[in-house]
Amino acid sequence: MLVDLLKNALSDTRLVQSFSGVRTVFGSGSDISTEHHSLAAAYGYCYAKRVLSGGSARFLLGRDPRPTGAAVIRGLALGFLAGAAETRTDLKLIDLGIITTPLSETAIRALEADGGVMVTASHNPIDNNGFKFLTGCSENPLSGAPCGALLSAGSMGVVISDVGKLVDDGEGFHTCCAQISQERLDQALLSADNEHSRVKAERAYLDVIGDDWGITPHCLKPLTLGPALLDPNGGAGCGIDARVLEHFGVRVIEINAELGYPEHGIDTDGIDPASGRHMLIRVSRAASRNSAHFGVAFDYDADRGNLVLPGYDESAIIPPQRVATFNIALALARRKLHGKSDKPLAVVASDATSLASHRVAEAFGAKVFQVETGEINVVSRMHQLRKEGYDVPVGVEGANGGTIFESATCRDGLQVALSAAQAESTPDVACEWMKVISGVNGCRFDAAHAVTLPELIASIPMNANVMLKLSSPPIPHGEVKQRMEQYFSTKLWPNLSARFASYEYENFEETKMVTVRTGDESGAWRLMLRAPGRSAFVFVRGSRTESGVWRMIIDTDDPADFDIVKQAAEQMFTEAAR
């Protein structure tokens, strides 16, 4: 029975089920195991049952080019149709094929779909795969996030729980799936509207970007703008991201652009095992060889874009926290020049985002709202603030440089490239930023001087910042946090109080910062240290999927504070994890 296969799939230690989606090792071929087929069907079934309530509806399906993508789609589609049968819904499936995550989310809104799924494992190895469910444009119990976005953490938690319950009570799931023939499944996936819908989605994507950025076709081509180098690495961004940039006038050189054939590791923000050097060096070297002004490397679903300058060593690689701050600076400079809103200005940042981003936002008079780590938390807070009357042009999930621009509901690597291109092709935006930073730093800026992209990036503030991966015995997360607080208060603060004026413990739950967590203790915890004119933080977050694995980020405004805070942070965690 499907339920027995599902039970085996759920017991696999490689399975990751989190608020950002489901992922596991599906394999390197085009087929998937019967256990994995059952897993996909179970998730599709539980999602559909929560979303559908009779009448007629449409779900969109998209995937990145991983070899198992079509098979995973087939499993999900079986579950969707089974859930539709149980809820007496006439469900139409539209398979958009290989597509980027930003484009799939735009498609939900453009086609006014009732739900959908993106099959991808993002930056993980090619033998991994997974799926992210999206909110639809109709009201339903999972509509806790904007239309076309990922499900909220709470909504995804409901679906995960529903799937777990099928192990003990899955007769309805098995029966409904058994009624869906292979012929019916084939027919549902081969809709005549598939290609028309994809074209409509791509056109909507161009229109949204043009509206959000205030740009028109072929407008970004003054003589100063050289080519941009894009490396989609065989991923979903092949072709489409270059076409969008060229539509707006950016000259593009595309490398490693054969769909489904990655030329190097999928995770570009890591070390190349062949050379022992950072993966992005190959991109910066390619930018140099091709006389490009900058390069962008995408992950496999193209929602992340790593920005580099041309060069031959690590100095050409722009750290993710600086990319996030760069995007904030340029977005707010554009808004200051061209924005007509009289609404208060706001920026949303995840709890792992460097305080340098806060300083840039505040230099433009923007208020910074912080949320728990997770793209959907940033997106949801941006939309909440707009309903409250704020103008929110940008949000960042700073640890990975991910940026949500304007009306988008996810990170978009293409728009990182667009930000860099516009910085060069519209000198008034770059000059506006330089004026602002000159006022903050108290230095002079010559407006007659054409600002180059390297000069612009060098002007972006960057804190002393490091991310560490730590381990502990399998101690409950809440207990580790309590131990850290107790040790810091009693043992470390007496010495640090000579350098800082105050400290505060911060907890985050989705879109809010709370004094004490009321729910899942695996969320982020921060120690904030403040002194006149400067701040620092220690961010600690335990893995929800790997027992005893923790991530720590230390960030200080003043470089002189860094070693002191880092030593205290490591000592605090070591004592708490004993």
Side-chain angles (χ1 to χ4, degrees):
M1 285 182 64
L2 280 175
V3 174
D4 296 323
L5 296 171
L6 173 62
K7 185 176 181 179
N8 291 337
L10 291 174
S11 66
D12 189 337
T13 58
R14 298 172 296 181
L15 176 66
V16 175
Q17 303 174 96
S18 74
F19 64 84
S20 58
V22 178
R23 186 183 79 248
T24 191
V25 179
F26 280 88
S28 300
S30 59
D31 294 328
I32 60 174
S33 68
T34 52
E35 287 84 0
H36 287 148
H37 179 78
S38 174
L39 178 72
Y43 264 98
Y45 172 79
C46 290
Y47 170 79
K49 280 188 64 180
R50 287 283 178 175
V51 171
L52 303 175
S53 58
S56 60
R58 287 188 297 175
F59 280 178
L60 304 187
L61 301 86
R63 60 186 173 93
D64 74 19
R66 292 169 200 271
T68 55
V72 176
I73 284 283
R74 195 171 181 85
L76 286 161
L78 173 63
F80 288 157
L81 294 173
E86 186 155 322
T87 57
R88 300 180 183 275
T89 303
D90 179 16
L91 179 64
K92 182 175 184 179
L93 301 181
I94 299 176
D95 186 359
L96 299 173
I98 295 173
I99 194 170
T100 69
T101 290
L103 186 49
S104 71
E105 296 195 6
T106 300
I108 292 280
R109 296 185 287 276
L111 300 170
E112 298 181 338
D114 300 281
V117 68
M118 179 66 191
V119 174
T120 179
S122 191
H123 59 283
N124 291 282
I126 198 75
D127 62 351
N128 283 218
N129 214 339
F131 36 89
K132 308 173 183 180
F133 291 112
L134 307 177
T135 59
C137 297
S138 56
E139 287 295 323
N140 62 72
L142 300 184
S143 299
C147 174
L150 295 180
L151 296 187
S152 68
S155 295
M156 188 61 195
V158 168
V159 177
I160 292 171
S161 176
D162 287 351
V163 170
K165 293 174 183 176
L166 292 181
V167 172
D168 298 317
D169 184 19
E171 184 176 345
F173 164 58
H174 177 83
T175 301
C176 288
C177 286
Q179 294 172 351
I180 310 297
S181 68
Q182 294 300 309
E183 291 75 18
R184 183 180 171 194
L185 188 57
D186 289 338
Q187 185 179 17
L189 288 170
L190 294 174
S191 168
D193 286 342
N194 288 351
E195 186 58 32
H196 169 74
S197 297
R198 183 187 175 94
V199 171
K200 186 175 180 179
E202 288 196 15
R203 288 175 176 168
Y205 188 51
L206 287 172
D207 290 343
V208 168
I209 289 175
D211 290 343
D212 279 353
W213 289 72
I215 54 179
T216 56
H218 311 297
C219 70
L220 301 178
K221 53 179 183 181
L223 295 177
T224 56
L225 181 60
L229 181 130
L230 302 186
D231 178 10
N233 193 31
C238 289
I240 177 64
D241 285 343
R243 291 197 301 275
V244 172
L245 288 179
E246 288 170 344
H247 173 79
F248 291 112
V250 181
R251 287 194 292 141
V252 175
I253 298 169
E254 199 175 25
I255 63 171
N256 302 330
E258 187 172 356
L259 196 65
Y261 290 88
E263 293 291 333
H264 52 76
I266 302 297
D267 185 4
T268 55
D269 195 21
I271 302 300
D272 181 1
S275 66
R277 302 184 70 184
H278 199 291
M279 196 76 73
L280 288 173
I281 288 179
R282 65 174 70 226
V283 183
S284 60
R285 291 171 67 92
S288 289
R289 289 195 303 271
N290 289 278
S291 300
H293 281 205
F294 63 89
V296 177
F298 300 95
D299 64 352
Y300 226 50
D301 65 330
D303 68 341
R304 288 172 58 178
N306 295 87
L307 184 64
V308 302
L309 293 172
Y312 290 90
D313 57 35
E314 282 80 358
S315 65
I317 299 170
I318 307 169
Q321 292 279 15
R322 176 164 273 180
V323 173
T325 310
F326 169 81
N327 289 331
I328 290 174
L330 272 292
L332 295 181
R334 285 195 305 272
R335 185 62 105 246
K336 187 173 181 180
L337 279 173
H338 307 302
K340 299 178 181 179
S341 174
D342 57 358
K343 298 177 181 179
L345 198 58
V347 168
V348 176
S350 73
D351 48 16
T353 300
S354 173
L355 296 172
S357 290
H358 293 225
R359 296 205 307 277
V360 166
E362 289 160 1
F364 284 95
K367 184 175 180 179
V368 179
F369 291 84
Q370 295 181 90
V371 298
E372 187 176 6
T373 296
E375 172 188 272
I376 189 55
N377 295 326
V378 178
V379 170
S380 294
R381 190 66 174 131
M382 290 171 72
H383 283 255
Q384 289 170 5
L385 288 169
R386 287 174 184 139
K387 291 180 180 178
E388 295 171 16
Y390 285 90
D391 178 17
V392 194
V394 65
V396 296
E397 193 177 8
N400 58 35
T403 306
I404 295 95
F405 295 91
E406 293 284 357
S407 66
T409 52
C410 68
R411 299 165 301 190
D412 190 346
L414 167 70
Q415 295 194 56
V416 172
L418 188 59
S419 184
Q422 195 178 42
E424 281 207 323
S425 62
T426 52
D428 55 340
V429 172
C431 287
E432 188 61 37
W433 158 246
M434 296 300 285
K435 290 176 186 175
V436 170
I437 192 61
S438 297
V440 172
N441 293 340
C443 58
R444 297 184 60 186
F445 169 64
D446 180 6
H449 171 67
V451 183
T452 66
L453 186 60
E455 289 174 331
L456 188 62
I457 290 172
S459 75
I460 301 296
M462 187 172 176
N463 277 15
N465 179 284
V466 70
M467 182 188 297
L468 306 173
K469 188 174 182 180
L470 305 173
S471 62
S472 76
I475 306 171
H477 289 197
E479 186 174 339
V480 172
K481 294 172 185 176
Q482 291 175 3
R483 290 181 185 181
M484 287 193 295
E485 291 181 4
Q486 182 178 13
Y487 186 81
F488 180 83
S489 299
T490 59
K491 301 295 184 182
L492 298 177
W493 178 244
N495 290 330
L496 285 173
S497 61
R499 191 166 187 88
F500 293 95
S502 65
Y503 72 90
E504 180 182 7
Y505 304 125
E506 297 176 339
N507 290 273
F508 296 85
E509 286 188 327
E510 297 188 23
T511 61
K512 298 178 181 178
M513 186 171 72
V514 296
T515 304
V516 178
R517 288 186 67 84
T518 60
D520 181 9
E521 280 289 355
S522 63
W525 174 94
R526 267 195 348 189
L527 165 66
M528 278 296 306
L529 297 161
R530 294 184 176 89
R534 70 185 204 280
S535 298
F537 72 68
V538 178
F539 167 98
V540 180
R541 184 170 185 259
S543 171
R544 286 183 166 96
T545 57
E546 298 176 273
S547 177
V549 175
W550 295 77
R551 183 175 65 173
M552 174 183 282
I553 297 175
I554 297 105
D555 185 88
T556 67
D557 287 339
D558 187 342
D561 291 332
F562 182 76
D563 288 337
I564 297 168
V565 175
K566 181 173 181 289
Q567 181 180 359
E570 291 177 318
Q571 186 177 346
M572 174 180 67
F573 182 84
T574 299
E575 291 297 326
R578 287 186 185 280

